């Protein structure tokens, strides 16, 4: 089969303040992305910056916006939610439009790490904007694990998906690789058409194949979760999956590209 063309829905750059092992030099972003094309056939990426997570989301987003000017093709930024909007929520819509113009295509939520709510009622002013524009939001399982012992707040995810059905809600597995979550994934995906799952942590036997057979090829998004996981292993998992060619192609890049193209803000 012809080599798959990947679009990475979840990759990180910048200094990880907690570990040099997970720091990625961001000075030459164009060069880094070029290497990913040559080595892994990753033609595009959704990029998050560690500065947004470990220091100040707004400053990290601004830094990434400047870096995105070096990127070409299907390379975009992920906005880490900026807590300043809690003071002036009426400015959030303009903020999303401005970030879109800068090349951002996903809003990422880190309620545990950055200390803010994610529940539907408490974030309704912001979710309403994202829902109106079909602007994707991504949240990690580790961020909604209230005890740190796999006590995921699944019902609250369901509430968000139900109330804001035009907002794609992407579940990022982060560091969890447990097959215990498969039934939850299946329940959410079969109940709500706007739930999507990233693939980097789906290493259980036939886990990806099972999700595709039950919910279809459109609901899984390839991601490398680099630098926390090896890019080659993430890509290889899709390449070697017991799936049809069109299913692999959808997961590898077509699904995330479709979500991006469906954002109702037009081309800037």
């Amino acid at each position: 089969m012809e080599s798959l063309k990947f679009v990475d829905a979840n990759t990180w750059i910048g200094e990880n303040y907690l570990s040099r092992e997970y720091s990625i030099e961001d000075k030459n972003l164009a060069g880094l992305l070029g290497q990913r094309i040559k080595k892994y056939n990753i033609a595009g990426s959704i990029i998050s910056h560690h500065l947004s997570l470990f220091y100040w989301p707004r400053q990290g987003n601004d830094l990434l916006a400047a870096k995105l000017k070096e990127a070409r093709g299907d390379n975009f930024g992920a906005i880490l939610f900026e807590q300043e909007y809690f003071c002036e929520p009426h400015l959030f819509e303009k903020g999303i439009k401005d970030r879109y113009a800068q090349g951002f295509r996903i809003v990422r939520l880190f309620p545990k790490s950055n200390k803010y709510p994610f529940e539907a009622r408490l974030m309704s002013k912001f979710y309403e904007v994202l829902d109106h524009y079909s602007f994707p939001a991504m949240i990690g399982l580790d961020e909604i694990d209230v005890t740190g012992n796999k006590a995921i707040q699944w019902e609250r995810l369901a509430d968000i998906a139900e109330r804001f059905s035009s907002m794609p809600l992407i579940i990022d597995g982060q560091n969890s690789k447990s097959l215990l979550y498969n039934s939850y994934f299946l329940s959410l995906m079969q109940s709500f058409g706007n739930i999507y799952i990233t693939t980097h942590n789906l290493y259980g036997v036939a886990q990806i194949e099972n999700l595709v057979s039950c919910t279809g090829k459109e609901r899984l998004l390839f991601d490398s979760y680099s630098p926390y996981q090896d890019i080659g292993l993430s890509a290889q998992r899709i390449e070697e999956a017991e799936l049809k060619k069109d299913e692999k192609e959808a997961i590898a890049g077509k699904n995330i590209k479709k979500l991006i193209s469906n954002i109702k803000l037009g081309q800037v």
Side-chain angles (χ1 to χ4, degrees), residues 217-228:
K217 64 186 179 183
E218 296 84 6
R219 312 293 289 285
L220 297 181
L221 308 175
F222 166 77
D223 73 322
S224 70
Y225 196 45
S226 172
Y228 300 97

Side-chain angles (χ1 to χ4, degrees), residues 241-254:
E242 295 185 7
L243 297 171
K244 298 176 182 177
K245 179 182 177 181
D246 66 308
E247 293 172 331
K248 293 182 181 182
E249 290 175 339
I251 297 168
K254 289 184 177 180

Side-chain angles (χ1 to χ4, degrees), residues 97-161:
K97 291 180 179 179
D98 290 344
R99 291 297 187 197
Y100 181 91
Q102 292 172 339
F104 291 84
R105 296 296 184 270
I106 286 177
V107 171
R108 298 200 65 167
L109 304 174
F110 285 87
K112 181 186 289 187
S113 295
N114 290 156
K115 306 297 185 294
Y116 55 81
F118 75 94
E119 294 83 356
R121 187 166 64 90
L122 295 177
M123 292 285 285
S124 63
K125 291 183 176 64
F126 311 116
Y127 291 151
E128 286 168 0
V129 172
L130 299 178
D131 187 69
H132 178 72
Y133 292 109
S134 298
F135 203 104
M138 178 185 287
I139 191 164
L141 293 182
D142 296 348
E143 289 294 314
I144 53 175
D145 182 350
V146 292
T147 66
N149 191 31
K150 301 180 182 178
I152 309 298
Q153 300 179 75
W154 300 106
E155 187 61 34
R156 294 184 179 182
L157 285 179
D159 188 31
I160 296 169

Side-chain angles (χ1 to χ4, degrees), residues 154 178-191 197 202 207 210-211 214-215:
W154 300 106
S178 176
L179 270 170
L180 293 174
Y181 295 149
N182 239 33
S183 295
Y184 292 102
F185 290 156
L186 288 168
S187 179
L188 284 169
M189 295 167 77
Q190 290 178 340
S191 299
I197 310 290
L202 303 180
Q207 192 171 13
N210 180 247
L211 290 170
C214 293
T215 61

Side-chain angles (χ1 to χ4, degrees), residues 15 25 45 54 69 74 78 81 91 102 119 134 179 185 232 237 256:
E15 181 183 357
E25 182 66 60
S45 299
F54 292 109
K69 294 178 181 179
D74 295 320
F81 183 82
L91 296 179
Q102 292 172 339
E119 294 83 356
S134 298
L179 270 170
F185 290 156
R237 177 67 181 93
I256 185 64

Side-chain angles (χ1 to χ4, degrees), residues 1-7 197-203 207-209 212 217 220-224 229 231-255:
M1 187 181 75
E2 184 181 347
S3 179
L4 290 174
K5 184 177 181 180
F6 290 96
V7 177
I197 310 290
T198 61
T199 63
H200 78 266
N201 65 325
L202 303 180
Y203 274 89
Q207 192 171 13
I208 288 179
E209 291 84 346
V212 170
K217 64 186 179 183
L220 297 181
L221 308 175
F222 166 77
D223 73 322
S224 70
Q229 186 159 305
I231 299 174
L233 288 176
S234 297
Q236 186 179 26
R237 177 67 181 93
I238 307 302
E239 291 171 336
E240 297 183 356
E242 295 185 7
L243 297 171
K244 298 176 182 177
K245 179 182 177 181
D246 66 308
E247 293 172 331
K248 293 182 181 182
E249 290 175 339
I251 297 168
K254 289 184 177 180
N255 290 342

